[in-house]
Amino acid sequence: MSVQASTSAAKARVLSKSDDDIVIVSAVRSAITKGKKGGFKDTKPELLLSHVLRAAYEKVSLDPKLIDDIAVGNVLPPGGGATPARMAALHAGIPVETSINTVNRQCSSGLTAITQIANEIKAGQIEIGIGAGVESMTNGFGAGAMASISDEVLTNQDAEDCLLPMGITSENVAASYNISRATQDAFAARSFQKAAAAQKAGKFKAEILPIRTKWVDPKTEEEKEVLVDSDDGIRDGVTPESLAKLKPAFKKDGTTHAGNASQVSDGAAAVLLTKRSTAKRLGLPILGKFVTSSVIGVPPKIMGVGPAYAIPKVLNLTGLTLEDVDFFEINEAFASQAVMSIQHLGIGEEKVNVNGGAIAIGHPLGCTGARQVATGLSIAKQTGGRVFVTSMCIGSGMGMAAVFVSEH
């Protein structure tokens, strides 16, 4: 993919450099591994988080005493994982004086964390911070994660729709927007093919932190130490024909199945942010900048359409057009909603998820929003792209999107 450089006035403005820019000095992620089966199935989320937090500052030789605040996107743990996140930061060599919080805006939690830190820097509350995300779906995912809800609240139809299983919302999107099973399977197969090709070509290597961890062999129950350094949900050789054989997962006559939905995964990512002036003063590398982000609500029963509305909202804030964006990282919660978003916006599919998306790589809920930034910066380097947008739909009916610039 070569990037056609658009040179609108808005794009020139976004590309220009100012001392007050919120810049990214490091962005790192773990490999994304299969829930209950993959490389991190026996690794607790706080340990995964500790690894990426430590790497975020060590990679650029930053004294951890200079980190003022950390926000961590995390969706599934009891109590929102607030205490384990604090423990992870301390274990990562970050001093007790550095504050931390977890944030849960479902699938956008990692991006919400980055936005929080960027806004704190912008407001002058802090100088340096980390926006991160983690999820161990091995440990948290399943029926136990649902709360019981007041009957009175459930009398509101939209409120009740928030309890629909995600797979049913995917079926609703497919039905409402006439997205056929064949179209979804073709999209999903391309995601696998792009990710498999990228993995073979070593295109994920720069963004992944190799992690040594313990892993229990399910056959022998023997505990081994393993090095987890690649995404283990990516499969080579997936075709629309092979996906066509899979049974629908949520409705007898449905179109959503295990092969055209995001994988249940474990992973973590961290993004270190500061002002350009601070980065220059401390001699820190500048990988890119955070421009801004937007969130919008959509009907809960078709929650997957979120990116179709969040992307125009964030572009409107920056004055950018779709043509000004060199590429998009749109989370593939389901093929149905990813296809709907791309079609609705009229984006060329060659500009979306250049190295594959969550259908092939996986979607550890709290991590994805931060993971997409590490991936986006890698893709920018590989393709020469500068301006990129990350986006995702959000359970309960929302969408979030953000604009980043790579300065590779």
Side-chain angles (χ1 to χ4, degrees), residues 22 66-69 117 120-121 124-129 273-275 277-279 281-282:
I22 307 303
L66 298 176
I67 302 166
D68 296 305
D69 197 15
I117 293 297
E120 285 177 20
I121 296 167
Q125 294 174 340
I126 66 169
E127 260 201 299
I128 298 173
L273 300 142
T274 188
K275 258 191 191 165
S277 53
T278 308
R281 190 180 81 241
L282 296 173

Side-chain angles (χ1 to χ4, degrees), residues 276-306:
R276 189 182 298 278
S277 53
T278 308
K280 289 200 299 207
R281 190 180 81 241
L282 296 173
L284 296 168
I286 296 172
L287 305 182
K289 70 175 176 181
F290 168 88
V291 180
T292 193
S293 68
S294 269
V295 196
I296 193 166
V298 298
K301 65 173 183 250
I302 50 167
M303 69 91 207
V305 303

Side-chain angles (χ1 to χ4, degrees), residues 54-240:
R54 183 182 288 277
Y57 73 81
E58 279 189 349
K59 255 183 119 170
V60 293
S61 308
L62 177 75
D63 180 348
K65 287 193 187 74
L66 298 176
I67 302 166
D68 296 305
D69 197 15
I70 301 168
V72 181
N74 200 199
V75 177
L76 296 170
T83 299
R86 170 74 167 151
M87 294 160 78
L90 297 169
H91 179 259
I94 294 167
V96 290
E97 291 79 8
T98 302
S99 51
I100 190 165
N101 69 287
T102 54
V103 56
N104 179 358
R105 197 182 338 236
Q106 318 266 64
C107 312
S108 73
S109 301
L111 182 54
T112 299
I114 289 169
T115 297
Q116 178 196 315
I117 293 297
N119 287 340
E120 285 177 20
I121 296 167
K122 239 180 221 161
Q125 294 174 340
I126 66 169
E127 260 201 299
I128 298 173
I130 297 176
V134 64
E135 209 69 59
S136 171
M137 294 180 78
T138 293
N139 284 292
F141 191 60
M146 284 311 292
S148 70
I149 302 291
S150 143
D151 290 340
E152 224 170 303
V153 168
L154 290 174
T155 59
N156 176 287
Q157 187 57 56
D158 281 332
E160 193 186 10
D161 287 345
C162 290
L163 295 180
L164 286 171
M166 292 296 107
I168 296 298
T169 71
S170 170
E171 294 292 0
N172 291 343
V173 170
S176 302
Y177 297 92
N178 299 318
I179 297 159
S180 68
R181 161 95 189 234
T183 301
Q184 292 172 61
D185 286 355
F187 178 86
R190 284 193 293 277
S191 183
F192 275 108
Q193 289 158 7
K194 288 186 286 189
Q199 192 173 57
K200 266 192 195 145
K203 289 184 174 176
F204 296 120
K205 271 210 158 67
E207 69 200 62
I208 294 176
L209 169 74
I211 294 173
R212 275 195 191 287
T213 192
K214 294 190 170 63
W215 187 81
V216 179
D217 188 318
K219 291 192 182 100
T220 62
E221 296 194 353
E222 183 199 347
E223 187 177 271
K224 308 172 176 176
E225 189 176 90
V226 294
L227 181 70
V228 183
D229 61 359
S230 67
D231 305 318
D232 64 20
I234 297 174
R235 293 200 306 280
D236 203 0
V238 176
T239 63

Side-chain angles (χ1 to χ4, degrees), residues 349-369:
E349 211 191 292
E350 73 287 347
K351 283 172 81 166
V352 179
N353 302 349
V354 178
N355 290 342
I359 288 170
I361 297 166
H363 173 30
L365 306 173
C367 162
T368 290

